[in-house]
Amino acid sequence: MKGFLRQECRRAFLNWRFAAVVLFGCGLAVMDLLGTRWLGGAVDLQQYVWGEEPGYSTVLDVNAAVTSLYFWMPDHGYASRYYYLYKILVPIMAAIPYGASYLQDKKSGLINQLVVRCKGKGGYFAAKLMVTFVSGGMVAVIPLIASLIIGLCAMPWGVPVNSVGYFGVDGIRGVFGELFYTYPSVYVAVYLVYTFIFFGLLNCLCLFCVYFEENSYAVRLMPFIVYYGSNFIVKDVLGLSGGLVACANMIAFYKSDVPVVLFQLAVIALLDLAFLFRIRRDVI
């Protein structure tokens, strides 16, 4: 199975689709700074460091106690059109490189040869599930890491100050909000792990979708449909907070929303695992 797993990882990550969606996501991270009002803040802070006007006086006037996290894309939320675009498209971006690979194996008949090479049906399906999960998580997380690096180019790392009101994290109601204002590096690590798991689970719905759909475009759209469909049901039908679209950004994820979000992710995880039973119908 290890050899097959390495082969599938190469198939998922060493292709032009993966490179294209990652570059697109990183481009959104660059534009989040260069194409928004945060660029002016970065220039003012740099002029303050150099003692130059007008940035020096501007920073003194507003008492700007900010760190590189001020320029991190998730902290901007809907105020940034580029982060908004990332948040809308990321389920589709995550599915493009590898989401339809199982369907391609099935249609081509290659699935039977791969099962033999993998020395078992269980190994083939487990490898597919793992690589699909990791592929989706990587596509979602890499632009956020790029945005973090860009922020470090504008300002040094530091502990955010809650009282200045420059950050979107609610230190009281937000999930791990206290952590953001005490150990920001740990908060960022938790944020990235959460995002990785969130979109990894969503991406695995591409595999489950093959139960009832064999169009590659529809299969790749399945995570997007569930992403927004679940959000519509929770927010507009049930009148609850904690929709997947809002809580995809952990900064907008409040403690009161935890049961609702965990329930949705648990249902998605169960649907993902249901894919493991598909082998009985697709393999000789």
Side-chain angles (χ1 to χ4, degrees):
M1 178 179 170
K2 290 182 180 179
F4 177 71
L5 190 59
R6 285 194 297 269
Q7 172 189 318
E8 290 301 297
C9 286
R10 287 194 295 269
R11 185 178 173 186
F13 302 118
L14 301 180
N15 65 76
W16 68 268
R17 292 184 182 88
F18 182 80
V21 295
V22 166
L23 285 174
F24 178 74
C26 292
L28 292 178
V30 172
M31 291 305 299
D32 180 69
L33 177 62
L34 299 182
T36 62
R37 62 184 174 85
W38 281 274
L39 178 61
V43 172
D44 287 342
L45 289 166
Q46 191 61 57
Q47 289 180 342
Y48 173 79
V49 173
W50 292 339
E52 296 179 356
E53 296 293 349
Y56 186 82
S57 298
T58 301
V59 173
L60 284 179
D61 289 342
V62 299
N63 189 28
V66 300
T67 73
S68 56
L69 287 173
Y70 177 71
F71 302 101
W72 195 31
M73 188 163 60
D75 189 57
H76 302 163
Y78 292 125
S80 167
R81 68 177 72 91
Y82 299 103
Y83 177 71
Y84 180 69
L85 186 60
Y86 161 84
K87 197 173 178 183
I88 289 175
L89 296 179
V90 67
I92 300 175
M93 291 164 55
I96 287 174
Y98 189 76
S101 67
Y102 168 64
L103 180 61
Q104 292 165 357
D105 290 351
K106 179 176 177 291
K107 283 187 171 182
S108 66
L110 187 62
I111 183 172
N112 296 295
Q113 299 177 37
L114 293 175
V115 167
V116 172
R117 186 184 304 175
C118 203
K119 297 181 180 179
K121 300 176 182 180
Y124 170 84
F125 266 62
K128 278 290 180 185
L129 198 62
M130 285 188 286
V131 177
T132 304
F133 176 82
V134 172
S135 173
M138 290 290 287
V139 171
V141 163
I142 289 175
L144 301 182
I145 296 174
S147 178
L148 192 64
I149 294 171
I150 292 167
L152 287 167
C153 295
M155 276 293 291
W157 186 262
V159 178
V161 179
N162 193 5
S163 60
V164 299
Y166 291 160
F167 302 95
V169 179
D170 191 320
I172 299 175
R173 296 186 302 136
V175 173
F176 300 113
E178 303 92 340
L179 200 61
F180 181 82
Y181 294 105
T182 51
Y183 301 100
S185 57
V186 178
Y187 178 89
V188 169
V190 171
Y191 187 104
L192 294 176
V193 170
Y194 169 77
T195 303
F196 188 96
I197 294 172
F198 188 101
F199 288 104
L201 289 174
L202 268 178
N203 199 43
C204 290
L205 289 172
C206 293
L207 302 174
F208 173 76
C209 182
V210 182
Y211 266 122
F212 50 85
E213 180 57 61
E214 295 193 353
N215 181 284
S216 60
Y217 296 103
V219 166
R220 289 188 175 102
L221 281 174
M222 184 64 176
F224 177 83
I225 293 169
V226 172
Y227 184 58
Y228 274 91
S230 176
N231 190 77
F232 172 77
I233 293 172
V234 169
K235 182 180 177 182
D236 298 311
V237 177
L238 299 179
L240 301 173
S241 59
L244 291 182
V245 176
C247 294
N249 183 0
M250 199 173 77
I251 290 176
F253 185 6
Y254 298 105
K255 295 173 182 176
S256 58
D257 300 330
V258 170
V260 178
V261 174
L262 288 182
F263 175 78
Q264 293 173 88
L265 293 179
V267 171
I268 291 171
L270 289 175
L271 293 177
D272 294 341
L273 292 175
F275 164 72
L276 296 175
F277 298 98
R278 180 72 184 182
I279 193 74
R280 296 175 182 173
R281 294 178 54 188
D282 289 342
V283 180
I284 297 172

